[in-house]
């Protein structure tokens, strides 16, 4: 059986700067001896895969890690995520894997008990009590950390329960007064995290036209691609409306609404390229490579809008052109070492390009290899099921199934996965 005081992490690379506050292990209750090692693992090996960009301002390091100093729940949730991620470094039959999974489960169970207490306290606080502002951020941060931990075990779908809990926390905090400026960036970041995960969730949920609770902040250094997520959400809503209008008295999306989508995609591209120039990267080469990621999101969102909303005869040509641009960007990105920093961002463009590759075995192989790279470098999450869906779609033929959206809608129990 492995010892918990054994070394867990490699020596930091020269460009990694530890930012774990010394007092982080001085919370109100004694912490287990492996806590510092798990914190180091989170800082060096997990935080970069949770962020859109792993630069000097990575919010998981700069905002959430110091925030854990103020919250036993957030601190314990962070340890649970780090331990489970560390377990995945070993074969499933290795005693290290079992040990770290047990450690993760213990921390997660403790975090859930603490979170239930916090949720009860939050709902009982008077709306005008300013101390609830801090509670709001810490509690929302804890539940989003737990949600990310459960995403490592995505097929259990427990992350969906915690996403609903985040929604309730946001509702409870919506009317709180006295938001403090030092927490403003934390607030924006956590709302962006909740919103983005909710949008990806609703992509393959066909039961209703979703109504996510908030109008989130636009793209910034912490979530540079969120403008595209906004548009993807709107496209999904309009597609659901379009489908329902065929069987009810609802009005289908208007030509103006569809034109507005195209204008917003262009605006998202321009804004994200601008934000990309203002972010602190580790190097200028990384900035240039992330620009390729922005273009991949642009073309992927164009394809999705055409798949979901367009009935023009030129749509197939538009989609194939955009698909080829994504594959070209992927090839250019794969020739640089910086793809290691951005693999967590590639699931959406890989998926959308893949939906336009039926009958193209070479293109399918490129997408399959891309998914394997993402899984290898940035963990499996729900990505194996996303790839499995693509493979089923590639081998589906028939004039009655013209879109992956229709294909997924026809088998909801098989296609309720997360494209992230």
């Amino acid at each position: 059986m492995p010892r918990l005081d054994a070394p867990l992490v490699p020596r930091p690379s020269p460009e990694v700067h530890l930012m774990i506050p010394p007092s982080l292990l001085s919370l109100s209750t004694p912490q287990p001896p492996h806590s510092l090692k798990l914190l180091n693992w989170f800082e060096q090996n997990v935080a970069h895969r949770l962020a859109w960009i792993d630069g000097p301002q990575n919010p998981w390091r700069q905002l959430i890690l110091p925030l854990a100093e103020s919250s036993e729940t957030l601190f314990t949730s962070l340890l649970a995520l780090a331990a489970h991620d560390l377990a995945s470094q070993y074969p499933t039959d290795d005693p290290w894997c079992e040990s770290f999974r047990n450690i993760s489960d213990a921390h997660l169970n403790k975090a859930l008990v603490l979170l239930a207490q916090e949720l009860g306290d939050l709902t009982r606080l008077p709306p005008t009590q300013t101390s609830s502002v801090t509670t709001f951020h810490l509690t929302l941060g804890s539940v989003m950390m737990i949600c990310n931990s459960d995403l490592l075990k995505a097929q259990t779908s427990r992350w969906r329960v915690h996403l609903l809990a985040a929604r309730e926390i946001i509702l409870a905090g919506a009317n709180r007064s006295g938001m403090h400026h030092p927490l403003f960036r934390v607030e924006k970041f956590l709302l962006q995290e909740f919103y983005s995960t909710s949008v990806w969730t609703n992509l393959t949920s066909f039961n209703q036209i979703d109504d996510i609770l908030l109008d989130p902040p636009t793209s910034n250094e912490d979530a540079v691609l969120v403008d595209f997520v906004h548009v993807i959400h709107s496209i999904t809503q309009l597609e659901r409306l379009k489908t329902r209008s065929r069987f009810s008295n609802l009005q289908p999306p208007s030509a103006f609404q569809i034109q507005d989508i195209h204008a917003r995609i262009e605006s998202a591209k321009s804004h994200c390229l601008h934000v990309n120039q203002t972010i602190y990267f580790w190097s200028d080469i990384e900035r240039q490579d992330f620009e390729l990621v922005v273009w991949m999101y642009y073309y992927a969102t164009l394809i999705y809008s055409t798949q979901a909303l367009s009935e023009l005869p030129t749509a197939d040509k538009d989609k194939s052109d955009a698909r080829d641009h994504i594959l070209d960007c992927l090839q250019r990105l794969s020739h640089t070492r910086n793809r290691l920093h951005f693999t967590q961002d590639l699931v959406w463009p890989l998926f959308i390009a893949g939906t336009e590759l039926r009958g193209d075995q070479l293109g399918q192989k490129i997408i399959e290899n891309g998914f394997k790279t993402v899984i290898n470098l940035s963990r499996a999450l729900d990505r194996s099921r996303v790839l499995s869906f693509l493979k089923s779609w590639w081998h589906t033929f028939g004039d009655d199934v013209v879109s992956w959206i229709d294909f997924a809608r026809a088998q909801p129990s098989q296609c309720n996965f997360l494209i992230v």
Side-chain angles (χ1 to χ4, degrees):
M1 180 63 63
R3 294 181 299 111
L4 293 181
D5 59 347
L8 302 185
V9 297
R11 180 178 299 175
S13 65
E15 64 182 9
V16 171
H17 305 282
L18 291 178
M19 291 179 280
I20 299 173
S23 57
L24 203 56
L25 297 180
S26 304
L27 296 169
S28 58
T29 59
Q31 299 304 319
H34 58 260
S35 295
L36 183 57
K37 295 178 185 293
L38 290 178
L39 287 170
N40 281 331
W41 182 264
F42 178 89
E43 196 277 340
Q44 295 182 41
N45 298 281
V46 179
H48 74 89
R49 287 186 272 107
L50 296 177
W52 295 97
I53 294 173
D54 181 35
Q57 291 185 307
N58 184 322
W60 291 97
R61 292 194 192 97
Q62 194 174 78
L63 299 179
I64 302 304
L65 196 55
L67 198 63
E69 184 178 0
S70 305
S71 169
E72 188 82 12
T73 311
L74 180 56
F75 178 76
T76 308
S77 305
L78 188 154
L79 295 184
L81 171 57
H84 194 279
D85 184 81
L86 187 52
S88 67
Q89 292 292 103
Y90 303 92
T92 55
D93 58 349
D94 190 295
W96 280 105
C97 180
E98 180 182 2
S99 178
F100 285 120
R101 284 190 175 178
N102 290 338
I103 291 172
S104 177
D105 289 343
H107 284 302
L108 182 59
N109 290 335
K110 178 181 177 182
L112 290 173
V113 172
L114 294 171
L115 181 62
Q117 295 171 354
E118 286 188 15
L119 289 173
D121 294 341
L122 185 62
T123 56
R124 288 190 291 269
L125 282 171
T128 56
Q129 187 169 332
T130 56
S131 63
S132 66
V133 175
T134 301
T135 303
F136 168 79
H137 290 93
L138 293 175
T139 304
L140 183 57
S142 299
V143 77
M144 291 308 298
M145 186 69 75
I146 292 172
C147 188
N148 275 288
S149 181
D150 281 337
L151 278 171
L152 292 173
K153 305 157 277 187
Q155 292 192 39
T156 66
S157 292
R158 284 187 298 186
W159 61 271
R160 296 179 186 275
V161 175
H162 296 122
L163 195 63
L164 290 174
R167 179 187 178 102
E168 294 305 313
I169 293 167
I170 292 169
L171 271 176
N175 297 319
R176 303 292 178 188
S177 60
M179 288 294 183
H180 300 306
H181 182 70
L183 292 178
F184 183 58
R185 184 184 168 197
V186 175
E187 176 197 7
K188 287 201 302 184
F189 171 66
L190 291 173
L191 293 181
Q192 286 169 330
E193 286 294 299
F194 166 77
Y195 180 80
S196 297
T197 306
S198 299
V199 171
W200 300 128
T201 299
N202 287 319
L203 269 171
T204 53
S205 300
F206 301 97
N207 295 329
Q208 59 186 8
I209 301 174
D210 68 274
D211 183 22
I212 299 175
L213 294 173
L214 62 150
D215 183 16
T218 56
S219 296
N220 58 21
E221 71 275 9
D222 294 329
V224 65
L225 297 170
V226 161
D227 282 359
F228 285 115
V229 179
H230 291 194
V231 185
I232 291 165
H233 180 207
S234 296
I235 295 169
T236 301
Q237 289 180 309
L238 289 176
E239 194 281 332
R240 304 300 185 261
L241 179 62
K242 175 184 173 184
T243 300
R244 289 195 173 192
S245 69
R246 298 170 183 166
F247 309 102
S248 67
N249 293 325
L250 292 173
Q251 289 293 322
S254 66
F256 173 79
Q257 287 174 301
I258 296 173
Q259 290 172 356
D260 180 61
I261 288 291
H262 293 156
R264 288 175 58 192
I265 294 173
E266 295 295 332
S267 176
K269 178 195 67 178
S270 298
H271 188 215
C272 290
L273 289 174
H274 170 73
V275 173
N276 186 52
Q277 295 301 313
T278 68
I279 295 172
Y280 291 102
F281 285 84
W282 295 117
S283 70
D284 287 338
I285 295 175
E286 285 188 17
R287 184 189 313 281
Q288 296 168 13
D289 285 341
F290 191 76
E291 184 173 315
L292 294 174
V293 178
V294 174
W295 280 104
M296 292 171 77
Y297 266 68
Y298 168 71
Y299 289 118
T301 309
L302 280 176
I303 292 173
Y304 180 51
S305 69
T306 304
Q307 291 171 333
L309 304 174
S310 179
E311 297 178 357
L312 297 175
T314 57
D316 288 342
K317 177 67 164 57
D318 294 338
K319 289 186 294 184
S320 62
D321 288 346
R323 174 204 65 201
D324 291 344
H325 282 301
I326 293 174
L327 295 178
D328 178 63
C329 289
L330 180 65
Q331 183 179 28
R332 292 165 63 188
L333 191 62
S334 68
H335 288 315
T336 77
R337 66 178 181 87
N338 294 317
R339 64 190 173 89
L340 305 177
H341 297 275
F342 307 133
T343 52
Q344 68 273 14
D345 302 325
L346 300 183
V347 178
W348 168 247
L350 282 173
F351 173 79
I352 288 296
T355 62
E356 292 297 322
L357 287 168
R358 281 199 299 176
D360 184 341
Q361 293 185 0
L362 179 59
Q364 292 170 11
K365 193 64 177 177
I366 293 172
I367 296 299
E368 183 175 357
N369 288 337
F371 268 98
K372 289 178 179 178
T373 298
V374 171
I375 291 170
N376 182 50
L377 297 176
S378 194
R379 301 296 184 261
L381 280 73
D382 227 5
R383 293 153 183 171
S384 295
R385 289 205 298 163
V386 176
L387 179 58
S388 178
F389 171 83
L390 278 178
K391 289 181 177 180
S392 297
W393 170 240
W394 291 336
H395 295 95
T396 299
F397 301 95
D399 294 336
D400 56 329
V401 182
V402 297
S403 167
W404 72 267
I405 301 171
D406 295 329
F407 181 62
R409 181 182 280 113
Q411 42 183 345
S413 62
Q414 301 294 322
C415 300
N416 199 13
F417 46 75
L418 189 66
I419 306 173
V420 66

